[in-house]
Amino acid sequence: MSQHSDEDCARLRAQASSSGQVLFSTWPIKTFVAVNPLGGVEHHPFEEAIELVGGLLGLRGHLPLQTFRALHAAGRVSDADLDAALLRRVPELERVALALDGRAVSGVQALRADLLSGPAAPARARSPRGAAEWCDELLGTEVAALVDEQVAKWCAAFFDTRQARWPMPGRQLGLYGAWRRLVAQDPALRRLQLARERFTGLPERPEDAILAALMLLRIPDGERRAELRAQLARTPGWASHVKWCAEHPDQAPHPADLVDLLAIRLAYEAASVDAAAAGALADGTAGLRALVQEHLALAAAPDPDARRARAAAVASALGARDTASASVDRLAGVLERLPVDERCWVWLDAYEWHYRDRLLGMLDRPALPERRERAPAQAVFCIDARSEGLRRHLEAHGPYETFGFAGFYQLVVRYRALCSTHDARLCPVPLTPTKTITEHPVAGSEIDAARDIAVERQADALVHAFHGAKDDLASPFALAEAAGWVAGPLAAAKTAAPERFARLRARLARRAARRVTDPTVDTPSPQEAETLVADAARQSIRALLARPDLPESECEALRQRALDGAEPRLRAALDLTTEGNAARVERALALGYDLEEQVFWAQFALRSFGLVEDFARLVLLAGHGSRTENNAYEAALDCGACGGQHGGPNARISCAMLNRPAVRAGLAERGIRIPDDTVFIAAEHDTATDRVTIFDHHTIPRTHLAEVERLQTDLDAAGAALAHERHRRLPGRDHPHRRAGDWAQVRPEWGLARHAAFIIGPGSMVSGLDLETRTFLHSYDWRADPDATALETILTAPGLVIQWINAQYYFATVDPDVLGAGDKTLHNVVGDIGVLQGHAGDLQLGLPWQSIATGEQLYHEPMRALYVVQAPRERVEMLIARNDLLKHYFDGDWVALVVREAPGEPWQRRTRAGQWLSWRPAVTPSTKEMAA
Amino acid sequence: MSREDLTRMTKVEVVVRGADASLVSNLLSSCGVTGYTGLSGVSGFGHHGYHEGRLLFNDTDTLALIIAVMPDDRADAVLAGLRALFEDRSGVMFVSDTYVSRTDYFR
């Protein structure tokens, strides 16, 4: 096949990559984080973005009209809501009125009747469409689905990293390279009736393959981008994963990018379409192209009768008997102020404000009286909506003061736990960690730590061997023989009594873990770095010799002998050479934070959630995570702020720094005085069971032990109450404690389903209110934030993450076929990256159906988030002006915004155009309406 | 200072949205460019208004500057690709002559 010039190839590559930008990147499922599926077009306003991508992916972008009407019948959306929404969208409707059948009808009434009874808009066809789709439509073939199947098959083989025991060869050549080597021998070619010759001698560069295919399909230059976009949109799941690989080459195991994917896809399409067209038309693909142009020209003509039909339907709904008169024509003119395909946006708006009116009404109360005495404890939880319940129940058990703060505690770190062999990135995914923090055993606990590491390693090895043997070709039989007598009863126990099994396992784990550790937050001095490296080396020696009990002195003697040149086995296995040691010391010096950094972090963190004075004796910092069984989506239930991990380590690191006298001295210099009797303690909230575990008891001074015990008792009671509350909202009879341990449970908890708003303000704003775990809360006191940097951070960091979560849930609910992952029970996991429905097909994107619904009944309410901010309006306006991100969100209607400066003042709503209007709840229209 | 012992090459500087930086680096690599330098958290003022620089906890919403140096024969493909990229992505590029000493790094 001919080689094209480097310039043509570069041009094509740019066009292909650019086409991919409308698609989003998925994160592999092992670190599943919610991303806005339409993130690629987020800088367009919401409706426009859906218009842009909707045609391409076949999206609706909102609930169907029938569903909205059913919600109206059920009372979820009222006439008042609809009227208010209509006036928000088309303000001049207020002054419009007409006469129908001699009766006066207002513009609002007319359009409300249209919303409730008007004919539905015609379904939108997919556009643009690729060559294979046109071939199917115009020549009656079934090519597109077959190509999708092949592409998906090769992708699954290439990207699988774990499940398959017989991996695809040649993957280091990249996606296209590896495929090119094997495709000619694929027996599927014969089944698809594709000539083998078309797939031998394919060009080495994927760009050449694409250009050849485009030429064969007679795609003109001007339509090239549209064609490439349409191609990628056929398998958006795999395309998104490939895009992720291209953007994160360091994390992707084998090279792949969208040009590779397009080359493979177009090779199949060109071959199939050429064969089909040659069979059906005299001039093959050229003829097909001509048919496409004809079809497009016809489809563009608008329907002249639609306008009249719409007016007639509305007139009859309003009770007019004569539907052919001139007043009906005037009615059509009024109706035109709201184009048919924009009706659903009015419905969405009404649906959203029904909830928002209630929320703002609840929040619209005067300030609570100032706290008179010192709270027994202050508790900081993640902004996550699930914490709302825990805060509420805890406050009911005592005069506790609670706060919301992003669960990563502003620590952009990589964390290596003692028994772990890899680093966990514990920060939001858009950020890159700048620091590494480790753990070290406290003095006297080194032997325990070594023992624990050895046990973990053995357990890990056992699990790995078990799963490895399961997937091999012959060994499952041997495995059943060897381990069946243990595995069988264990599986039975896990199934029959999941709660008891989980509790027993947790108890054994706690007893087994005897080590006591502290996070290593301080940048070590050179001597300390040497010591750290020496300690780690001694632990490694114990592990290598399988002698966890080896005394320190003997270990040290071995280490020294190795460094001096003796002990060749230790030198080789553990790199115990002078150079190796020096490199490790270098790396150790890069760990942790120095004092200046710690003080800066502490000051910014405390100011961010507004705790800068009146500290209680106990301040609890809690992270959160979710422990469930057999759940491919477990990362989705963990802390999003911590990159889909458990937030416990972040809390521990924060407490370690805030308890240091040197840090407190530095804070005092900067105006934040923490009393000497204040102790920070770290904990983790398990959102599946609502149990809160306090860490590092060894750091709690004796003087505070009794209070900590009281706090734990109250946390247990609050957790139990919350679990009970959630039990009522979960389908089925199983209590959350049982669900968490049950490996057959497809819905251990609801996660963030039904979330609706993000509240930024002091805890007193929501204290005592039952917000049904539907709101995120970030504590904020604008008077403690003079230069607005804390508010800017809250809006652009957690504010971004919450918008992504909101968009992910929204689109998975309204377009589950494309942007949802379908029924969990049919899922098969592919490597670490994602799931398939059944055994083949496109990678499933987004949340599974069970995350948002029960059977046919939706649980999540697809609404765009409302951000509620208590701060001066000018401050918020200034931040919007200087942050593109906020401009896109608020001007573009992705997120709604209300602001007030203090309790008692009216809420101000920001419109798309940047105007601020006073909020008023929707008013029920007068009952003097046209008789039906 | 004399340039006798230096080799003339082409330097290309590209300013794009942070989210598009990987497109540019992918393009450069595929054209055989041996290396590039990327700066993030860039701010600036231009056609589309003012772009604020580094946000404390957000790497994606700013601009990026990518600098690459390549022999002239490779520059043509790179420029063709970048021009195609700018047909539907915002950004600018500056092309200039430059001189390098470690030629083996750039071939």
Side-chain angles (χ1 to χ4, degrees):
Chain A
M1 300 217 172
S2 62
Q3 277 244 341
H4 297 87
S5 72
D6 286 345
E7 287 169 37
D8 284 338
C9 287
R11 211 172 289 130
L12 173 71
R13 179 167 285 273
Q15 288 165 333
S17 315
S18 197
S19 306
Q21 287 301 73
V22 295
L23 297 167
F24 58 114
S25 301
T26 338
W27 280 80
I29 203 169
K30 68 170 188 251
T31 54
F32 184 102
V33 275
V35 284
N36 180 354
L38 270 58
V41 288
E42 210 169 49
H43 47 283
H44 293 269
F46 180 73
E47 291 170 25
E48 211 179 280
I50 291 176
E51 185 64 44
L52 271 171
V53 182
L56 196 61
L57 293 174
L59 299 180
R60 200 175 29 225
H62 48 70
L63 290 172
L65 189 58
Q66 316 88 279
T67 310
F68 277 130
R69 289 174 175 170
L71 287 165
H72 177 267
R76 172 61 177 78
V77 183
S78 68
D79 284 350
D81 297 323
L82 288 173
D83 289 355
L86 281 166
L87 288 170
R88 273 190 292 266
R89 193 171 186 98
V90 194
E92 63 267 20
L93 266 184
E94 207 160 10
R95 294 182 297 277
V96 170
L98 69 156
L100 196 63
D101 242 19
R103 280 173 286 185
V105 174
S106 71
V108 173
Q109 274 176 302
L111 274 168
R112 194 198 324 140
D114 180 45
L115 289 174
L116 290 169
S117 332
R124 195 204 347 222
R126 254 179 62 100
S127 143
R129 277 180 271 185
E133 287 180 89
W134 281 119
C135 187
D136 289 347
E137 166 108 13
L138 301 171
L139 301 179
T141 53
E142 275 178 23
V143 171
L146 290 172
V147 175
D148 291 346
E149 197 189 287
Q150 292 305 305
V151 171
K153 172 180 91 181
W154 286 102
C155 283
F158 183 85
F159 289 108
D160 177 66
T161 51
R162 239 190 5 202
Q163 306 294 89
R165 288 273 126 191
W166 192 352
M168 180 178 178
R171 292 195 279 186
Q172 70 282 3
L173 298 170
L175 179 61
Y176 175 73
W179 170 81
R180 176 177 165 258
R181 252 180 52 171
L182 296 174
V183 62
Q185 299 141 49
D186 185 1
L189 290 180
R190 189 180 317 172
R191 186 169 49 82
L192 297 168
Q193 294 166 332
L194 289 174
R196 200 167 295 275
E197 298 75 55
R198 291 186 190 261
F199 293 92
T200 47
L202 286 165
E204 202 176 309
R205 289 188 301 189
E207 293 94 329
D208 287 320
I210 295 175
L211 289 167
L214 290 173
M215 196 143 60
L216 186 55
L217 291 169
R218 315 284 179 130
I219 309 289
D221 258 2
E223 286 169 39
R224 191 190 283 184
R225 273 179 216 272
E227 181 70 31
L228 294 176
R229 267 205 293 269
Q231 292 289 332
L232 291 173
R234 287 291 301 184
T235 52
W238 284 116
S240 296
H241 181 70
V242 170
K243 182 166 176 257
W244 179 86
C245 287
E247 287 170 355
H248 302 93
D250 50 324
Q251 290 180 59
H254 306 284
D257 61 41
L258 290 176
V259 176
D260 289 346
L261 184 67
L262 283 165
I264 295 174
R265 210 194 149 81
L266 279 164
Y268 283 109
E269 277 216 6
S272 320
V273 171
D274 190 40
L281 301 168
D283 43 355
T285 51
L288 179 62
R289 234 38 249 169
L291 282 179
V292 170
Q293 300 306 337
E294 259 178 55
H295 185 100
L296 285 172
L298 280 172
D303 176 7
D305 293 320
R307 186 177 179 270
R308 202 132 235 294
R310 183 183 179 193
V314 170
S316 95
L318 287 169
R321 274 168 298 257
D322 173 13
T323 57
S325 66
S327 57
V328 173
D329 223 8
R330 263 202 307 285
L331 180 61
V334 169
L335 294 178
E336 258 167 6
R337 290 164 190 271
L338 182 68
V340 176
D341 47 12
E342 285 181 29
R343 279 194 304 214
C344 281
W345 300 129
V346 177
W347 273 108
L348 177 62
D349 190 280
Y351 180 66
E352 289 168 338
W353 279 98
H354 182 96
Y355 166 81
R356 293 170 182 171
D357 283 346
R358 262 184 39 246
L359 175 67
L360 292 176
M362 283 172 83
L363 295 174
D364 198 12
R365 57 177 190 179
L368 293 180
E370 286 280 327
R371 208 171 253 279
R372 236 117 25 108
E373 19 172 79
R374 206 181 180 195
Q378 285 151 333
V380 184
F381 296 98
C382 185
I383 56 180
D384 194 284
R386 290 168 284 185
S387 305
E388 186 267 331
L390 193 60
R391 282 198 303 272
R392 178 174 18 108
H393 284 287
L394 183 64
E395 284 174 357
H397 278 84
Y400 294 106
E401 197 181 347
T402 62
F403 297 83
F405 188 37
F408 73 113
Y409 289 93
Q410 289 179 352
L411 293 166
V412 187
V413 295
R414 225 176 267 115
Y415 179 73
R416 164 139 350 183
L418 192 68
C419 295
S420 167
T421 47
H422 62 271
D423 295 340
R425 294 162 87 248
L426 294 177
C427 58
V429 284
L431 301 181
T432 318
T434 49
K435 294 279 180 192
T436 305
I437 309 273
T438 56
E439 242 189 326
H440 62 270
V442 306
S445 193
E446 294 90 347
I447 304 274
D448 283 338
R451 211 180 276 140
D452 285 347
I453 295 175
V455 166
E456 275 293 314
R457 295 250 169 93
Q458 266 175 4
D460 265 349
L462 212 65
V463 168
H464 190 78
F466 184 85
H467 285 294
K470 264 202 294 171
D471 299 329
D472 227 350
L473 286 176
S475 48
F477 301 102
L479 178 68
E481 286 288 310
W485 64 277
V486 166
L490 270 180
K494 234 167 114 172
T495 311
E499 193 181 339
R500 231 176 306 167
F501 184 82
R503 267 212 303 266
L504 176 67
R505 211 178 45 181
R507 211 175 19 227
L508 283 175
R510 269 200 302 277
R511 201 173 303 166
R514 305 218 290 266
R515 68 190 178 280
V516 179
T517 59
D518 276 336
T520 317
V521 296
D522 295 319
T523 303
S525 67
Q527 301 97 289
E528 283 170 335
E530 296 270 358
T531 315
L532 265 176
V533 169
D535 283 344
R538 283 193 293 273
Q539 295 287 37
S540 307
I541 291 173
R542 286 191 182 100
L544 183 71
L545 300 177
R547 300 252 334 254
D549 298 346
L550 196 62
E552 281 284 285
S553 46
E554 277 188 49
C555 256
E556 179 57 19
L558 279 170
R559 191 181 77 91
Q560 282 301 338
R561 281 211 297 275
L563 286 173
D564 290 338
E567 304 288 344
R569 185 185 163 206
L570 289 178
R571 278 175 75 87
L574 302 175
D575 192 19
L576 280 176
T577 60
T578 342
E579 298 79 27
N581 208 53
R584 282 192 293 278
V585 170
E586 218 23 74
R587 277 201 299 275
L589 288 169
L591 292 173
Y593 295 92
D594 64 35
L595 181 62
E596 198 49 47
E597 289 170 324
Q598 291 187 30
V599 175
F600 179 78
W601 166 83
Q603 180 199 31
F604 195 71
L606 292 172
R607 262 184 45 207
S608 292
F609 68 91
L611 181 61
V612 293
E613 54 189 8
D614 297 328
F615 290 85
R617 270 170 64 85
L618 277 186
V619 181
L620 180 82
L621 300 184
H624 69 97
S626 181
R627 271 181 192 80
T628 53
E629 286 287 325
N630 191 27
N631 187 1
Y633 286 90
E634 60 184 5
L637 295 175
D638 283 333
C639 183
C642 300
Q645 314 268 3
H646 291 206
N650 299 69
R652 293 180 66 213
I653 295 165
S654 305
C655 289
M657 293 201 275
L658 286 164
N659 281 331
R660 288 192 60 202
V663 171
R664 293 197 185 184
L667 283 172
E669 279 169 31
R670 286 164 177 75
I672 301 178
R673 258 157 272 278
I674 302 180
D676 290 336
D677 68 345
T678 295
V679 172
F680 287 83
I681 48 180
E684 195 174 273
H685 169 204
D686 181 340
T687 52
T689 56
D690 286 323
R691 291 203 177 96
V692 181
T693 311
I694 294 179
F695 296 126
D696 297 328
H697 283 263
H698 64 284
T699 61
I700 304 171
R702 199 164 307 184
T703 44
H704 289 63
L705 282 175
E707 291 153 87
V708 173
E709 244 187 75
R710 247 198 315 278
L711 176 62
Q712 178 77 69
T713 310
D714 286 337
L715 284 168
D716 290 344
L722 180 58
H724 184 75
E725 181 184 308
R726 289 194 304 116
H727 186 189
R728 288 199 319 267
R729 289 200 283 262
L730 284 161
R733 283 181 327 192
D734 286 350
H735 188 272
H737 291 173
R738 183 190 163 95
R739 300 174 92 99
D742 187 351
W743 61 338
Q745 176 59 254
V746 291
R747 193 185 291 102
E749 54 155 304
W750 274 120
L752 290 166
R754 262 181 108 72
H755 74 270
F758 180 25
I759 300 176
I760 302 171
S764 55
M765 246 171 96
V766 300
S767 150
L769 296 173
D770 182 359
L771 299 176
E772 298 169 332
T773 65
R774 297 185 75 175
T775 54
F776 291 85
L777 171 76
H778 196 301
S779 295
Y780 176 67
D781 181 358
W782 68 267
R783 288 159 309 190
D785 180 31
D787 57 1
T789 45
L791 183 59
E792 189 172 30
T793 303
I794 295 172
L795 285 171
T796 56
L800 171 119
V801 171
I802 289 170
Q803 196 278 331
W804 281 5
I805 292 170
N806 181 248
Q808 172 105 85
Y809 271 86
Y810 177 85
F811 288 109
T813 312
V814 305
D815 279 300
D817 295 331
V818 187
L819 296 179
D823 186 350
K824 238 170 143 174
T825 56
L826 296 175
H827 280 175
N828 271 302
V829 182
V830 180
D832 305 331
I833 58 177
V835 294
L836 302 176
Q837 281 277 319
H839 70 285
D842 194 18
L843 199 62
Q844 296 292 299
L845 302 168
L847 295 163
W849 188 242
Q850 279 85 354
S851 291
I852 49 180
T854 315
E856 291 298 318
Q857 180 72 5
L858 275 184
Y859 180 73
H860 179 66
E861 293 197 326
M863 299 190 286
R864 289 165 294 182
L866 172 71
Y867 284 21
V868 180
V869 182
Q870 186 158 295
R873 210 177 76 186
E874 308 69 51
R875 175 180 289 208
V876 176
E877 194 56 56
M878 181 227 0
L879 291 176
I880 297 175
R882 77 171 190 223
N883 283 286
D884 277 351
L885 177 80
L886 300 179
K887 270 198 223 105
H888 294 150
Y889 281 174
F890 300 129
D891 290 345
D893 251 359
W894 286 92
V895 169
L897 176 65
V898 290
V899 172
R900 77 173 179 199
E901 190 167 313
E905 295 200 17
W907 289 109
Q908 302 278 316
R909 173 180 76 92
R910 188 176 189 276
T911 65
R912 261 193 282 200
Q915 276 184 295
W916 292 93
L917 299 174
S918 277
W919 165 78
R920 272 187 322 273
V923 171
T924 315
S926 77
T927 46
K928 199 161 61 75
E929 288 200 332
M930 300 264 294
Chain B
M1 194 183 98
S2 93
R3 305 269 192 272
E4 282 164 8
D5 46 352
L6 298 178
T7 317
R8 203 191 65 93
M9 291 208 180
T10 304
K11 175 164 70 156
V12 180
E13 291 155 301
V14 186
V15 180
V16 282
R17 288 176 55 229
D20 292 337
S22 61
L23 296 190
V24 175
S25 47
N26 181 271
L27 182 67
L28 291 169
S29 309
S30 71
C31 289
V33 172
T34 52
Y36 55 84
T37 301
L39 292 103
S40 60
V42 168
S43 65
F45 175 76
H47 200 75
H48 296 280
Y50 185 70
H51 294 271
E52 178 78 12
R54 185 145 179 67
L55 285 170
L56 267 174
F57 291 102
N58 186 330
D59 283 343
T60 57
D61 208 43
T62 55
L63 300 177
L65 169 65
I66 298 149
I67 308 168
V69 171
M70 66 212 76
D72 292 345
D73 52 4
R74 248 167 256 170
D76 296 331
V78 169
L79 297 178
L82 287 171
R83 290 171 102 145
L85 198 65
F86 290 135
E87 277 164 29
D88 66 347
R89 308 260 113 217
S90 62
V92 288
M93 70 174 176
F94 312 118
V95 185
S96 46
D97 289 339
T98 195
Y99 294 84
V100 302
S101 59
R102 306 169 99 151
T103 36
D104 47 314
Y105 272 33
F106 300 98
R107 289 216 174 276

